Amino acid sequence: MTSRSFLRLILAGAVASGAVALAAVPAGAASPGKAKAPLTVPVRLLALNDFHGNLEPPTGSSGRMVDENGKTVDAGGAAYIAAHMKALTDKNTIAVAQGDLIGASPLLSAAYHDEPSVEFLGKLGLKVAAVGNHEFDEGYTELRRIMKGGCHPVDGCSPAGPWKGATFDYVGANVLFKNPNERTDAFAALGAKQAQAKKLMADWGVPALPPVSVKWVNGVPIGFIGLVTQTTPNIVTAEGIKNLKFIDEVKAANVASKILKLVGVKAQVVLVHEGDQVNAGQSPDACSAVAGAGSRIATQVDPEIDVVLTGHSHQAYLCKVKDPAGNDRLYSQGGSFGRVITQVDLKVNLKNLDIDRSSVVADNHVVTRTVDPDPDISTFVETWKDRVAPVANKAIGSITAELSNTAGPSGESPLGDVIADAQLAATRTGGNAQIALMNPGGVRFPLSYPSSPADEGDGVVTYGEAFAVQPFNNLMQVVTLTGAQLKTVLEQQFTGGPNNQPFNKILQPSANFTYTYSTSAAWGSKVSDMKIDGVPVTDTQTIRVAANNFLVGGGDAFAAFTEGTDLWSGPLDIDAFVAYLGANSPVAPPATNRITVTG
């Protein structure tokens, strides 16, 4: 048996088990052998990333985008995405996505375990999506339910009836089972060849999700390789992924690329949920990416891969990078929350079935709200709004001005500080908490002062608005740390340490906890002058520290939290926030002066 036919057999078995999504050749597909066939055929990719269930137009700064003219405009919303997609779609189009389509979602979607958002994306015509870290927010088992269908095991069916599953392919080549025998059906169809197949894939492992998807357009196959950030175990709750491992993105992409090539799929696109930060204030069409984790992947994956579309960092950029063979390769991302559609036009050579990279043209198309919203999707969203309205529109408190989640020079934000205060208030009784710390990535949206379309009034906070701020349903917990351990937790906010923090993540402190950090000091010596209620903290004293279960479990690379003892679990974080707003309204934006920064 030749290597090519053997790999075809491997893919055939994987297709049967759901490990690989591979389309069949459509009848009447164009053939390179036809004398009158053109030398190339056009293909258009339309890509979204980090949608996070934003069916309604996002509000505040999360609903604005700098356009190609440098003007800040309102952007996003499912009905507007659909309108723009329709205008951009032609017969050559494949719609794709780069992860975090669900998770950390507003109540409208989250109340029904994001089934409304996945249904919307199917209506949009999405064909392939990489998994993001937030696809694992409710665990691997729940992700499989979203993919395959079935009612939620606890909450049952939604008002729309039994869930039928996603109509698009979710792919994740670097998501593997820790135990190679966990899921043997990936090789079951190979019969006597199972051992050989496992040996061939030994350096890769047993995939927990389909690694690739092949789609045909204009008679040519396009292979899509899905990847998610290998840091996923640090940024999702450990229990839901305890049987999985997330390997290096480049290693997984290169194995997937070689398998695609051996079965004749040479036109290859990576959809990866990892990306770079940017230089602020630039056009979404600028190459403003600051080289980081995304650039590493884009420059190191196999030269056979022609295009790298990214996500995760919520930034917008269009770049050309060099692949390992020195050839130009598109590297892009389209912001977040459905505010940008990345359009990629390219041509596939009919002689070698590969992408002509000189033909690749890309545009980050801002989803403005100046067009007529799609009427069918508008009705779809309104239906779900009506279903959730009694809960979402309930007033729970008020604010005197916007509570922003934008960090100031110290890393604090007004809203982050308020949430830390709420968490301390909720854990003093029962948990005996003395201070509280909140991870900045868990503060998803600002609390805007103007009334929402529900007309609750300026400054009034609804449950839906509060839920959008804290959508994870994390448990509040309290652990005992020594002063020295608390200092280590704070040192782990910064890059350069053994915990490999990818960028500075400043924890939001409750009002009674203050400290200083130095921007120039070496890691391990940055934090000083810690005080609780104005009293200096010593290395040996014990402190009851409140945080959500994500942080207490070592999430966001705060491993020192796991050294805590005497664990106490309390209310959900959203319940703590709601109770605080109800007891302290109107809440004013606090001064962000709990952390002092020195040079």
Side-chain angles (χ1 to χ4, degrees), residues 297-334:
I297 297 165
T299 56
Q300 292 183 14
V301 292
D302 195 286
E304 189 65 47
I305 294 167
D306 302 288
V307 173
V308 177
L309 304 178
T310 73
H312 190 49
S313 60
H314 289 206
Q315 306 300 331
Y317 49 80
L318 288 176
C319 297
K320 282 186 177 180
V321 297
K322 296 294 184 182
D323 70 14
N327 298 315
D328 284 340
R329 177 156 61 195
L330 175 66
Y331 167 55
S332 74
Q333 186 176 162

Side-chain angles (χ1 to χ4, degrees), residues 335-356:
S336 61
F337 307 142
R339 295 174 295 168
V340 172
I341 298 168
T342 301
Q343 175 184 336
V344 182
D345 289 307
L346 54 87
K347 293 181 180 178
V348 177
N349 187 306
L350 281 175
K351 184 176 181 179
N352 60 16
L353 296 182
D354 205 351
I355 292 173
D356 175 1

Side-chain angles (χ1 to χ4, degrees), residues 45-397:
L45 306 178
L46 296 178
L48 285 172
N49 61 274
D50 297 272
F51 177 61
H52 288 291
N54 278 267
L55 294 169
E56 291 187 276
T59 60
S61 59
S62 298
R64 295 188 287 270
M65 194 74 199
V66 177
D67 67 13
E68 64 275 11
N69 299 315
K71 181 181 178 182
T72 299
V73 298
D74 292 333
Y80 295 103
I81 296 171
H84 283 270
M85 286 285 282
K86 282 185 177 179
L88 295 172
T89 297
D90 60 21
K91 64 180 181 179
N92 311 312
T93 298
I94 305 173
V96 299
Q98 297 94 265
D100 277 10
L101 302 177
I102 60 176
S105 305
L107 186 65
L108 175 61
S109 184
Y112 305 104
H113 301 281
D114 280 314
E115 291 174 18
S117 290
V118 178
E119 184 178 354
F120 157 68
L121 292 163
K123 291 177 179 292
L124 203 62
L126 189 67
K127 299 301 181 185
V128 189
V131 290
N133 54 283
H134 282 287
E135 265 77 18
F136 295 92
D137 279 352
E138 294 189 51
Y140 171 73
T141 301
E142 171 64 4
L143 173 59
R144 293 288 299 181
R145 185 189 73 84
I146 288 294
M147 293 167 62
K148 299 298 184 182
C151 296
H152 191 272
V154 176
D155 295 334
C157 297
S158 81
W163 174 240
K164 297 178 181 179
T167 58
F168 53 90
D169 300 330
Y170 259 128
V171 286
N174 65 327
V175 185
L176 311 176
F177 286 115
K178 287 180 179 178
N179 181 358
N181 297 319
E182 184 87 29
R183 189 176 171 204
T184 57
D185 66 329
F187 301 102
L190 295 174
K193 299 294 184 181
Q194 287 188 54
Q196 290 173 267
K198 290 180 180 180
K199 183 178 179 181
L200 179 69
M201 302 176 74
D203 288 337
W204 185 9
V206 179
L209 295 169
V212 301
S213 176
V214 178
K215 300 299 179 186
W216 290 76
V217 62
N218 283 331
V220 297
I222 311 293
F224 296 95
I225 301 168
L227 303 167
V228 60
T229 172
Q230 64 179 306
T231 67
T232 295
N234 295 330
I235 51 179
V236 302
T237 303
E239 179 64 21
I241 59 166
K242 61 184 179 181
N243 296 322
L244 304 180
K245 60 181 178 179
F246 297 77
I247 67 170
D248 178 76
E249 304 94 343
V250 173
K251 177 180 179 180
N254 289 350
V255 173
S257 174
K258 286 179 172 59
I259 289 177
L260 285 173
K261 186 176 180 180
L262 283 169
V263 296
V265 181
K266 298 179 181 179
Q268 298 181 9
V269 177
V270 157
L271 307 173
V272 53
H273 192 71
E274 182 60 282
D276 289 337
Q277 299 300 314
V278 301
N279 292 314
Q282 298 195 39
S283 162
D285 284 334
C287 182
S288 54
V290 178
S295 295
R296 180 189 74 86
I297 297 165
T299 56
Q300 292 183 14
V301 292
D302 195 286
E304 189 65 47
I305 294 167
D306 302 288
V307 173
V308 177
L309 304 178
T310 73
H312 190 49
S313 60
H314 289 206
Q315 306 300 331
Y317 49 80
L318 288 176
C319 297
K320 282 186 177 180
V321 297
K322 296 294 184 182
D323 70 14
N327 298 315
D328 284 340
R329 177 156 61 195
L330 175 66
Y331 167 55
S332 74
Q333 186 176 162
S336 61
F337 307 142
R339 295 174 295 168
V340 172
I341 298 168
T342 301
Q343 175 184 336
V344 182
D345 289 307
L346 54 87
K347 293 181 180 178
V348 177
N349 187 306
L350 281 175
K351 184 176 181 179
N352 60 16
L353 296 182
D354 205 351
I355 292 173
D356 175 1
R357 292 199 198 173
S358 67
S359 72
V360 177
V361 178
D363 172 44
N364 269 338
H365 182 92
V366 177
V367 178
T368 61
R369 301 179 201 163
T370 55
V371 301
D372 291 333
D374 181 273
D376 292 336
I377 298 301
S378 292
T379 299
F380 173 80
V381 173
E382 285 299 321
T383 298
W384 285 102
K385 283 177 65 177
D386 290 343
R387 289 167 174 164
V388 81
V391 175
N393 295 337
K394 182 180 179 181
I396 59 170

